[in-house]
Amino acid sequence: MSSGPDIDGSDSVIFVRQVRKVNGHAWRRGADTGGEPSRLAAKVPDRGGYVATSPIWASRAKTRGLVLDVIRAAHASSRVELAAATGLTSATISEVVRELMNDGLVVEAGTGASRGGKPRTLVQLNPAARYSVGVQLERNTCVVVVVDLVGRQVARTSFHGPAVLPPDQALPQVAAQVEALLAATAVDRAKVLGVGLVGYGPQDRRTGTLLTPQPTEAWLNYPIAGRLAEILGLPVLLDNDAAAAAIGEYWLGAVDPTSTYGCIYMATGIGGSVVVAGEVYRGTSSNSVEIGHISIDVNGDECTCGNVGCLENYAGPSAVVRRAIAIPGLVQRLALDPTGGDFLTEFARIAAAANAGEPAARSLIEQSARYLGHAAVTMSTLFDVDTIVLAGPSFTVAGSIYQAVIQHEIDRRTFARRAHPVRVVPSINGSDAAANGGAVLVLQNELKLSANLTGQTP
């Protein structure tokens, strides 16, 4: 490997003309591979970290990214509308759109309504131009999805229990599932931009490591992003599952793109995220809005996170299951397994019974929802959000109960309730919200240059 690659800087994007090693894998510039999407991550001088590059950013990177994102948000747009939305000149828009069409990223999509003259030709993203992979790594299960350039899920698989294994055994299993899914869908691997690996926190996104000894000590400080990148030969971005779920709503147009909205994510645990005008609120270390670990009882038990009385220990699936097991006769009525460790499965049984009107189960779910309502009020008061999205597999079965109870608490207690309403809505991505969002984060990083594929913010 050369120690002195030829590097050109343009619009804050680095183009490298030689092979470099990143996380033990060599990424090569698209021009060296017949113009195929790049697998290169280039060292940014004086900043550390890596920026993934591709033909999307072959010239005028920021301008092209801006135009692509406007087209994505509008679904289809004319050149005149693009000029108005971006503030760029008509000549610049025409040239950029031509480049994007030549690269296959944008295609013409018919004409818009006539406004007295010649109907305007519309352009839209080419869904099949690029793909990304999302991997949701949970304590008891793993979901893998493939999405196209517009964020639409084209393939999915799930399997049980990778995180209960040591990471050096679990990650090859995850990689094998990714490879199998890509092969089954016949997606051109050269068009795959990378992998969004999402899970619980705290995390160090800069190094791609988990900062928690969960589910076992072996995962603490293990370089999961770098190791998965080595196995797959693809760039890997590590992020929080709640942040991924939140940005997925924005990408698919489920929320106002200029709004400030929150997301409560519940799987085995509980997380949160806030998005402001299409950007995740990161805080100092990208471990923000962890509402599962706000204290709702200052005299409560100590949590594994170090705090006391954490919301997750009162409202989360494991807490609901433990309370259910303590109710005489409920284990038998709901066929619960009091010795099992799969809290999601047991929680789903309780949620289904609550939907069916079983009084004890209904009471348990409503109690959990009231605790989450408390957290939603806190989120709304701190961030002045206009919408709160409920995402994650634990909202799948009894989501309507949670939605109604949380909305009631929001309407009754939110500080700014007289200034504006706050809507509580289910995620459009359902139980796959985090996995889909992980894939979307990879797309967003490419289109908007908001971060790079190894998690380092340039």
Side-chain angles (χ1 to χ4, degrees):
M1 180 179 69
S2 170
S3 61
D6 182 8
I7 300 179
D8 299 330
S10 174
D11 287 333
S12 301
V13 181
I14 304 300
F15 300 97
V16 179
R17 297 195 178 110
Q18 297 181 5
V19 175
R20 292 199 59 132
K21 284 279 186 177
V22 179
N23 293 329
H25 186 82
W27 310 115
R28 186 179 299 275
R29 187 181 181 219
D32 296 330
T33 56
E36 294 297 338
S38 170
R39 292 291 171 269
L40 175 72
K43 184 75 173 178
V44 181
D46 301 322
R47 292 186 180 184
Y50 294 90
V51 173
T53 64
S54 80
I56 294 178
W57 311 116
S59 67
R60 286 185 293 183
K62 287 183 178 179
T63 299
R64 289 161 60 96
L66 173 62
V67 172
L68 280 168
D69 197 50
V70 171
I71 295 171
R72 176 204 61 78
H75 302 295
S77 184
S78 70
R79 291 164 177 81
V80 172
E81 291 166 336
L82 288 173
T86 62
L88 299 170
T89 66
S90 297
T92 298
I93 287 294
S94 294
E95 187 172 350
V96 169
V97 169
R98 184 167 57 250
E99 291 175 2
L100 295 173
M101 291 182 67
N102 289 340
D103 288 341
L105 298 170
V106 168
V107 294
E108 291 188 341
T111 57
S114 174
R115 299 183 179 179
K118 180 181 178 181
R120 296 168 178 170
T121 300
L122 302 177
V123 293
Q124 66 182 23
L125 295 185
N126 177 10
R130 301 289 186 270
Y131 297 88
S132 64
V133 178
V135 176
Q136 177 208 0
L137 189 62
E138 252 287 333
R139 292 170 178 84
N140 295 317
T141 190
C142 182
V143 176
V144 181
V145 302
V146 177
V147 307
D148 61 22
L149 187 57
V150 300
R152 182 175 57 235
Q153 187 182 112
V154 298
R156 177 194 187 276
T157 189
S158 64
F159 56 104
H160 183 74
V164 300
L165 300 173
D168 57 351
Q169 297 179 31
L171 294 178
Q173 286 190 12
V174 172
Q177 293 288 336
V178 171
E179 296 284 14
L181 193 62
L182 290 173
T185 54
V187 168
D188 183 354
R189 192 182 179 85
K191 294 182 178 181
V192 180
L193 294 171
V195 179
L197 174 63
V198 300
Y200 43 87
Q203 304 171 350
D204 186 338
R205 294 178 68 243
R206 296 175 64 90
T207 61
T209 58
L210 293 179
L211 303 180
T212 176
Q214 296 184 51
T216 67
E217 288 284 345
W219 291 85
L220 177 62
N221 293 321
Y222 188 91
I224 58 173
R227 178 61 182 136
L228 188 59
E230 289 176 356
I231 300 170
L232 284 172
L234 290 169
V236 173
L237 175 155
L238 176 66
D239 214 321
N240 181 272
D241 47 17
I247 205 64
E249 302 294 307
Y250 164 82
W251 191 269
L252 294 178
V255 293
D256 181 345
T258 65
S259 69
T260 298
Y261 66 94
C263 176
I264 296 176
Y265 183 83
M266 187 162 70
T268 304
I270 298 172
S273 184
V274 168
V275 175
V276 182
E279 295 293 339
V280 175
Y281 173 75
R282 293 290 181 182
T284 300
S285 66
S286 292
N287 289 296
S288 60
V289 202
E290 282 288 354
I291 62 168
H293 294 282
I294 61 172
S295 179
I296 61 172
D297 182 359
V298 295
N299 298 311
D301 293 337
E302 184 174 348
C303 179
T304 56
C305 75
N307 197 5
V308 296
C310 287
L311 170 72
E312 186 171 294
N313 296 329
Y314 292 80
S318 61
V320 173
V321 171
R322 283 194 295 268
R323 284 197 293 270
I325 291 172
I327 296 175
L330 193 60
V331 168
Q332 292 74 23
R333 292 201 301 275
L334 303 187
L336 301 178
D337 181 3
T339 63
D342 187 354
F343 290 115
L344 285 182
T345 299
E346 303 306 303
F347 176 78
R349 289 196 178 99
I350 298 167
N355 276 342
E358 208 288 334
R362 179 84 182 200
S363 177
L364 288 169
I365 294 298
E366 288 181 343
Q367 182 184 32
S368 168
R370 284 192 296 274
Y371 282 128
L372 284 175
H374 173 89
V377 169
T378 299
M379 175 185 283
S380 178
T381 300
L382 290 174
F383 295 98
D384 197 22
V385 298
D386 58 26
T387 303
I388 294 178
V389 179
L390 306 182
S394 292
F395 287 122
T396 301
V397 179
S400 60
I401 299 175
Y402 279 99
Q403 182 181 358
V405 173
I406 295 171
Q407 185 72 69
H408 175 74
E409 295 298 317
I410 284 284
D411 293 343
R412 186 170 65 91
R413 298 168 50 199
T414 296
F415 181 77
R417 61 188 178 278
R418 295 183 180 88
H420 66 84
V422 178
R423 297 183 307 130
V424 179
V425 299
S427 167
I428 63 171
N429 283 307
S431 61
D432 292 343
N436 288 343
V440 161
L441 282 167
V442 175
L443 298 177
Q444 186 188 48
N445 289 340
E446 281 286 299
L447 293 187
K448 300 183 70 175
L449 291 177
S450 60
N452 65 72
L453 291 177
T454 58
Q456 168 70 40
T457 302

